[in-house]
Amino acid sequence: GVDGCLTKYGFKCRGATQAAWVSRAQEQQGVLTPLESRSVWTEGESGAVHDGFREWHDALPGRNGQHARAMSSAPRRDGRDQQGCGTDESSTGGINTGSGGGYGTREQMEARRRQAEPVPYCTGDRGSEQVGRVERGPGRDGLDARGRTATKLQDISLVLKAYGKKRDTAGVLATHEHMKRSKVMPNIFVYNYIINVLGKNGRMDEMHKFKEEMEENDVVPDVVTYSAMIDGYSKAGNLKMARTVFAEMQRREIAPDSVTFSTLINAYGRNGDVHGAILVFEDMIKSNVKQNVVAFNSLIDILLKNDDVENAKRVFQQMQSYQVEPDLFTYSELIHSAARTGDLPFAISCFVDMQRRSLVPNLVTYNCLIDACAKNGDMDGAICTFRLMQRAGIEPNDVTYTALIDGAARLGDVKRAEEAFSHMKRNGVKPTLVCYTALLSAYSKTGCPKRIRSIMRRMERSGIKLDTVVYNVLIEGYAKHGESLNALSAFKEMKGRRILPNATTFSALIHTFAVRGDSKGAWRALRDMQNRRLRANCCAVYNMVMGTFLRARDVDGIYKTVRAMRQQKLEPDTITREILKAAKALQSEERTPLKEVTYAHRGVHSR
């Protein structure tokens, strides 16, 4: 019956689950298992594994999808009770071989029930418990004390796994307390799992206590123990303790594996220590540890986040020399970095190389390539990639459409931006705040402030809260087209809504005052920005203020703006020097005509 149901319902387990539970089901020939409830299986495994087991469990003869204890014991007309157990004396074997199946006589089941003791296990809700059954004594299956302990540890491991899937540390700790009460000594696997769960949930002190407890119980920590602790301290941002644990591991002559090195590389990366991450990576290369793609991906990710693209490419080339195959994450990260640096040919070469290795691109990969094409002004390439994505059967999401709209906005192509936005709505993809902001940028560059207001009203009707970036786009749109009064009105409206301005807001506001020729207003906006401890990334904002003072022939205003700029540790650029040269001409009262000084508004708004 077991084998037949396994074949019929395609119950396929992986690893230890298959070896332990399928063999145990065959041993017991349908006898109730300690973890009878299907909730543990649905929480413990994923996908087809627990689904297949649930169907197999329900299809067992006489089960009808219910727990045997919960079913009525009223006899049926055919001489069998509703559990499929024979009520006559001929049914005395361990397995009822009649057509109804079953688990032996009612007396045998009652005897087994009396021999069982309760064990709490996860039912999905925190703090709730049901009672499973664990065998007591040699009994029917002849288990000795060691066998019973092994069975309990096996059951408890599944319980811990179920709690761990939900990150339920309270359940994990309660299970450990139950082990103490039951006088079941945890083994290395149980301790490692508890330490791993506590580390992932940031319970560092308890994690350390469990490590001390396992040593007191003569359970020697292994490489998995130390890797879990390093990972926990890494996620908590405690690089010092992660390094201490790694040093202790080396002191005990426990050889680190690829997981240990990958975890330590991530620990350095989270703390911004690129040099330390590179040193750990080099130590891994020198050791006899088998290289895997995770360690390479970790270092590539760290280097790209610190804008070190060249070294990231070198690490990528090293993968091939060590015969490590790149995966989707590797290529997606490299393509995304090419989008930031403007290296479109490298992004395309990565995409082609990926297909040559028979790696199927996913949604993230396609989005990265579309973004790379769009940011580099290749809208035809972005649309071509979008069509390839659709042919592959991958549905675009809001990130895909945002990249297309943003690329069209950069080129001032309102028509394509509107087409992408309409296509997005037709496909049932809900626009996000970032998507709306990209569309507003397209209207801002082409001089459609009224259309911007219309989109903002639509956003509010959709329940999207307006933020600083939206008002920055509106103010810049008004300022670029000479509608300074409307720009100032938008700034007042922004303050009325208690939306905090940023450096880009003041840059757009100063540009508005510069267009009006209001040097005092520009200076007040600059001082307000500095009082809020907001810093401009370039000299363009200060150049605009100095330009308004220059047109007003106010030399003192120019020099005080230069002093304010130097306080922010910004070096004068070419336009700044031209303005200062003109200011000296004014100061010496030379009768030479002032040259018209042009300045560019270089502020780039970003979230």
Side-chain angles (χ1 to χ4, degrees):
V2 172
D3 294 335
C5 289
L6 287 174
T7 305
K8 179 178 178 181
Y9 291 99
F11 176 63
K12 295 179 180 179
C13 295
R14 293 182 295 273
T17 307
Q18 183 177 9
W21 288 100
V22 174
S23 62
R24 188 167 182 211
Q26 290 173 342
E27 271 183 16
Q28 297 179 351
Q29 292 293 313
V31 179
L32 301 180
T33 58
L35 294 182
E36 188 73 327
S37 172
R38 289 163 291 172
S39 62
V40 173
W41 288 89
T42 56
E43 292 294 332
E45 293 293 336
S46 60
V49 177
H50 61 254
D51 292 336
F53 180 81
R54 182 168 57 247
E55 294 182 20
W56 168 68
H57 182 278
D58 292 340
L60 286 176
R63 303 304 293 272
N64 297 326
Q66 300 183 24
H67 197 287
R69 290 191 298 267
M71 300 178 65
S72 170
S73 59
R76 302 191 311 186
R77 292 181 181 179
D78 57 0
R80 297 181 181 276
D81 62 13
Q82 293 185 11
Q83 297 169 342
C85 301
T87 58
D88 55 353
E89 296 181 357
S90 63
S91 207
T92 57
I95 297 296
N96 191 322
T97 57
S99 60
Y103 306 103
T105 65
R106 186 178 302 161
E107 290 78 14
Q108 289 174 330
M109 293 182 65
E110 290 293 338
R112 286 197 297 271
R113 193 173 298 141
R114 286 192 297 269
Q115 289 176 354
E117 62 180 358
V119 176
Y121 60 86
C122 173
T123 61
D125 296 327
R126 177 171 294 189
S128 63
E129 291 184 352
Q130 283 187 348
V131 176
R133 298 287 169 179
V134 174
E135 300 79 358
R136 178 190 298 163
R140 52 178 174 72
D141 53 4
L143 288 177
D144 57 4
R146 183 181 301 177
R148 291 197 305 275
T149 302
T151 303
K152 286 184 179 182
L153 283 173
Q154 187 183 67
D155 297 341
I156 288 169
S157 298
L158 274 179
V159 173
L160 289 172
K161 190 171 184 181
Y163 279 124
K165 288 283 185 182
K166 301 188 73 172
R167 292 202 167 192
D168 188 353
T169 52
V172 170
L173 296 175
T175 306
H176 178 258
E177 288 298 323
H178 171 76
M179 291 181 71
K180 283 185 176 180
R181 292 195 300 270
S182 302
K183 297 181 179 179
V184 176
M185 179 66 68
N187 59 11
I188 183 66
F189 304 106
V190 173
Y191 274 121
N192 285 347
Y193 199 83
I194 294 174
I195 288 172
N196 186 34
V197 172
L198 291 173
K200 286 182 177 178
N201 287 275
R203 309 279 284 269
M204 299 296 106
D205 293 337
E206 289 167 290
M207 181 183 75
H208 193 71
K209 287 178 182 177
F210 269 97
K211 191 246 182 184
E212 292 177 348
E213 179 185 314
M214 69 187 291
E215 290 176 334
E216 290 173 0
N217 292 332
D218 296 328
V219 179
V220 181
D222 60 1
V223 63
V224 179
T225 314
Y226 285 105
S227 297
M229 293 184 70
I230 291 171
D231 184 57
Y233 284 121
S234 169
K235 289 177 179 176
N238 193 341
L239 177 60
K240 184 179 178 181
M241 283 303 301
R243 292 172 60 182
T244 302
V245 172
F246 185 73
E248 180 185 340
M249 182 179 180
Q250 291 179 315
R251 201 165 51 249
R252 293 192 173 194
E253 297 181 353
I254 298 175
D257 59 6
S258 58
V259 177
T260 314
F261 281 114
S262 301
T263 306
L264 194 59
I265 289 170
N266 283 326
Y268 278 99
R270 286 190 177 99
N271 284 268
D273 189 351
V274 181
H275 181 67
I278 293 173
L279 290 178
V280 174
F281 181 79
E282 289 175 350
D283 288 342
M284 183 188 72
I285 296 295
K286 293 175 184 176
S287 64
N288 294 324
V289 175
K290 184 179 179 181
Q291 314 302 330
N292 66 355
V293 69
V294 178
F296 283 92
N297 285 346
S298 299
L299 185 59
I300 288 173
D301 183 51
I302 292 167
L303 292 170
L304 291 177
K305 284 180 179 177
N306 288 272
D307 298 325
D308 193 352
V309 181
E310 294 303 319
N311 279 327
K313 290 180 180 179
R314 290 193 189 98
V315 175
F316 175 65
Q317 292 170 357
Q318 273 187 313
M319 294 178 73
Q320 300 175 1
S321 62
Y322 286 99
Q323 297 180 350
V324 177
E325 290 292 327
D327 59 5
L328 284 175
F329 180 84
T330 315
Y331 284 109
S332 298
E333 283 292 309
L334 291 171
I335 293 171
H336 183 59
S337 70
R340 295 200 309 266
T341 58
D343 192 355
L344 183 58
F346 178 70
I348 295 173
S349 68
C350 286
F351 188 77
V352 173
D353 187 43
M354 183 172 129
Q355 292 180 315
R356 183 178 61 81
R357 294 175 183 269
S358 301
L359 290 173
V360 181
N362 58 10
L363 177 62
V364 177
T365 312
Y366 277 113
N367 284 347
C368 289
L369 186 58
I370 290 171
D371 188 46
C373 293
K375 285 183 177 177
N376 286 275
D378 185 7
M379 281 304 297
D380 293 333
I383 293 172
C384 179
T385 307
F386 179 77
R387 289 172 181 165
L388 284 174
M389 176 179 171
Q390 288 184 308
R391 287 197 202 104
I394 298 175
E395 291 295 327
N397 60 0
D398 59 295
V399 178
T400 315
Y401 288 108
T402 301
L404 290 170
I405 295 170
D406 183 62
R410 288 170 183 269
L411 299 174
D413 192 345
V414 178
K415 184 179 178 181
R416 275 185 171 171
E418 289 178 336
E419 286 176 355
F421 190 78
S422 301
H423 195 283
M424 180 182 189
K425 293 197 294 185
R426 283 198 304 272
N427 279 7
V429 180
K430 188 177 180 180
T432 60
L433 176 62
V434 181
C435 184
Y436 273 117
T437 305
L439 184 63
L440 292 176
S441 299
Y443 288 125
S444 174
K445 290 181 180 179
T446 55
C448 303
K450 292 182 180 178
R451 186 65 178 150
I452 294 175
R453 281 289 188 185
S454 173
I455 297 295
M456 289 172 66
R457 287 193 291 271
R458 186 191 302 177
M459 290 170 67
E460 289 187 297
R461 286 196 298 271
S462 301
I464 297 177
K465 190 176 180 181
L466 304 181
D467 67 349
T468 306
V469 180
V470 174
Y471 274 99
N472 289 349
V473 173
L474 179 63
I475 294 170
E476 285 182 343
Y478 281 131
K480 286 178 182 178
H481 297 89
E483 300 183 30
S484 55
L485 293 177
N486 286 332
L488 295 173
S489 175
F491 181 71
K492 290 179 181 178
E493 179 185 332
M494 180 180 179
K495 292 172 69 176
R497 288 175 177 246
R498 295 183 179 179
I499 298 175
L500 295 176
N502 57 15
T504 308
T505 313
F506 285 104
S507 177
L509 193 62
I510 290 169
H511 182 52
T512 302
F513 286 116
V515 171
R516 294 182 65 189
D518 186 353
S519 57
K520 292 182 180 180
W523 174 250
R524 283 198 303 271
L526 181 64
R527 295 300 298 170
D528 191 7
M529 181 181 76
Q530 290 182 328
N531 290 336
R532 293 174 185 263
R533 296 182 180 179
L534 298 173
R535 187 176 185 275
N537 293 326
C538 60
C539 298
V541 175
Y542 295 93
N543 290 343
M544 283 190 287
V545 177
M546 286 189 285
T548 57
F549 280 125
L550 181 62
R551 286 198 296 275
R553 305 177 72 85
D554 187 348
V555 178
D556 293 336
I558 293 173
Y559 284 125
K560 69 180 179 182
T561 306
V562 171
R563 287 193 294 271
M565 183 177 71
R566 286 176 176 166
Q567 286 176 359
Q568 299 297 322
K569 298 181 180 179
L570 290 173
E571 293 296 326
D573 58 5
T574 306
I575 298 174
T576 312
R577 294 190 188 94
E578 289 181 6
I579 295 174
L580 290 174
K581 196 181 295 183
K584 287 180 181 179
L586 280 175
Q587 196 171 19
S588 61
E589 295 183 353
E590 292 180 357
R591 295 183 178 273
T592 56
L594 289 175
K595 294 181 181 179
E596 184 68 25
V597 178
T598 60
Y599 51 90
H601 176 49
R602 300 177 185 172
V604 179
H605 80 274
S606 62
R607 295 187 65 78

